Amino acid sequence: MSSADTSRRVAFETIRAVNESDAYANLLLPKAIARAGLSTADAALATELTYGTLRRQGTYDAVIQIAADRGIQEIDPAVLDALRLGVHQLLSTRVASHAAVNESVDLARSAGSRGASGFANAVLRRVSRDTPGEWMSRVAASARSDDERLGLVHSHPVWIVRAFRRALAAEGRADELEALLTADNAAPRVTMAALPGLAAVPEDARHTPYSPFGFRLGGGDPERLVRESAGRVRVQDEGSQLAALALTRAVPARPGEVWLDLCAGPGGKTAVLAAEALQVGARLEANEVSPVRAGLVRHAIAGIPLEVPVSEEDGRTRPGSGGYDRILVDAPCTGLGALRRRPEARWRKSPADVAELTQLQGELLAAAIGGLRPGGVVAYVTCSPHLGETAGVVSEARRAFGDSIEELDARAVLRGISDAEPDLPAQKDGSGRAQLWPHRHNTDAMSITLLRRS
């Protein structure tokens, strides 16, 4: 078996685990690559094949359905995954057609029932006869509505397409929808953070436009840099950096303040808060209800010379009453803002998840507001632009707490942090919420709201 064939096998097995066992590609793939002993180039191929196939799965399913002249639900799941991987190579990579067809047929043969290889061979050869543009035209023509067309062509469930349109329309930018959907299907560049006061941005790195300590490497191994810095340099999306900074720099900090990261796992934002607390003489506490994720938080802050106690309590009761100057509520959410990184999430979530999560989000935000001292600030953050999880939750909190809280202008805070001017249009509801976007800011779609206790 050639090294490229091994890369395909790793990609196929990862995709199978994602679709069959609800595994997470970002956790499973690195282990599979290491186990297979892939070179850097072969690991890159396996990564591109895995994530590219998962991102475009909805589009490829439409192609397969047309080429096979049968519904995808009628195709054996393992054979379907082999077909998806083959169609990705045929329509979205420079892999030679014969290699894409032959190796995908072999995967189908090894995973499917009798006759699977002949069926897979017929479907993939049918796909290989026409150009990607011709297939996209067929897919678009098969749609029953404009929203379904966008969903099929850009590989997003229709309900997510509509949620994104509403979130963009809340800024008067609904015309950016296709740009957003396109950005969701592009592999994100690796962004890093040099924790303030603890590490410096490497001289040969390029600063990111918004976070004062964010950067991108021109080359080299980011994980090596993380190890050598004892975690004081870390891989972290620029939006995540800004969410933590929005809290610490919303109003001037004073020595002796007490801060809380209420939903801290896996600890990236906690690390930024700890570095900032160290600089201003504040005390930081962290909480994460999941013991496994609490362990990740402890690991994330291990290299920071500040004692940060990490509790494992229910965040809805953890803040108590009136003891904190700043609280970060990085709430559990649908994760629709990070579909570039976790492409399988788009196929696992449903509108029902939003209703369930918004109740929890509201309870966490209410607990945080109740835990603030007078003048204290809470940052309510979601890695989702869905208006139900963002504006809706905040609106309910403002209604419940009335004049006892006021909203700060998160957009102005981010402008004060950033070197470049972030494009943050006003929200039509008049709120101070800041919404970051992949297509506009090259970050995850992070929503940031700042509320201050009167």
Side-chain angles (χ1 to χ4, degrees), residues 357-397:
L357 283 164
T358 52
Q359 179 174 346
L360 173 61
Q361 291 158 353
E363 291 170 352
L364 289 167
L365 179 55
I369 293 170
L372 290 174
R373 291 173 177 162
V377 177
V378 59
Y380 174 69
V381 174
T382 62
C383 191
S384 169
H386 194 294
L387 291 179
E389 300 184 83
T390 59
V393 170
V394 173
S395 177
E396 178 59 27

Side-chain angles (χ1 to χ4, degrees), residues 74-88:
E74 300 175 35
I75 303 173
D76 177 85
V79 175
L80 179 59
D81 280 336
L83 289 172
R84 289 163 171 162
L85 184 59
V87 171
H88 175 63

